[in-house]
Amino acid sequence: MSFNWGLIADNLPLLLQGALVTVEITAMSVGCGFFIGLLVAIANLSKFTVVRLLAKCYVDIIRGTPLLVQIFLIYFALPMITGQRIDPFIAAVTACSINSGAYVSEIFRAGIQSIDKGQMEAGRSLGLTWGQTMRYIIMPQAFKAIIPPLGNEFIAMLKDSSLVSVIGFEELTRRGQLIIAKTYASFEIWGTVAVIYLIMTVTISQLVGYLERKYSIK
Ligand code: ARG
């Protein structure tokens, strides 16, 4: 078998466009996931049992079912109830955001719980409210602690976003499939797709390493 470099060169622009779409879905999903996660983590600390229970159910259900099934549910099952087709991009970002939110909320919870309880007590005894102590004392420290796991989540989501190829959304993996359907060059194209994912994930871990050093707790 000869390795066809020309074929890779010909299809590289198409794959790179796909890679850009992959980065877009990932950034949007982890971005929305960040806010969902923050809300859910705060709900988890609530003094109201119902709120805590709802937050726990969300995390358990989303973490306990495969992302692939969640994508199918949103893209194929939801329109059967609403009667409206969903754009694959919206379905992809929605599924990935809801999924990421569950993981990020656990990251936040761990980060908040890693800060000594005495700091909340100190803040409160200085006359700050719960919210102020959270915002000005706990969160800035928790945030530093969660940079590495958040980076992990970003890398995981970047790779797991390949699952949205099943609804025909043209990100990197789907682009690879489509090119192979025309050229039959499995080896060259899947190899290139893998290398592109690797370059993206290594870049992210470098970036996270930089942020970690910059904001490390000394
Ligand atoms: N592969 C796992 C699943 O199917 C996790 C997917 C999402 N990953 C993430 N880091 N949010 O459920």
Side-chain angles (χ1 to χ4, degrees), residues 60-170:
D60 283 346
I61 291 172
I62 300 299
R63 262 198 334 194
T65 52
L67 175 58
L68 183 61
V69 175
Q70 293 161 11
I71 294 169
F72 283 146
L73 274 173
I74 292 181
Y75 189 64
F76 295 115
L78 200 61
M80 298 188 93
I81 304 169
T82 59
Q84 291 238 323
R85 266 187 69 106
I86 303 180
D87 180 73
F89 179 74
I90 308 272
V93 173
T94 309
C96 292
S97 301
I98 293 176
N99 188 281
S100 195
Y103 287 88
V104 174
S105 80
E106 286 298 279
I107 295 174
F108 265 116
R109 192 168 65 90
I112 293 169
Q113 282 174 349
S114 74
I115 308 300
D116 196 280
K117 233 175 62 203
Q119 300 221 16
M120 174 57 86
E121 290 161 3
R124 297 306 302 273
S125 63
L126 286 171
L128 299 179
T129 61
W130 183 89
Q132 285 170 330
T133 316
M134 216 47 186
R135 175 151 176 230
Y136 298 111
I137 297 177
I138 312 279
M139 279 303 185
Q141 300 180 75
F143 195 72
K144 288 177 186 169
I146 66 171
I147 293 174
L150 266 187
N152 252 344
E153 169 61 15
F154 207 93
I155 291 176
M157 202 67 240
L158 189 111
K159 294 180 297 161
D160 289 333
S161 70
S162 59
L163 288 170
V164 306
S165 60
V166 295
I167 55 171
F169 186 66
E170 280 193 44

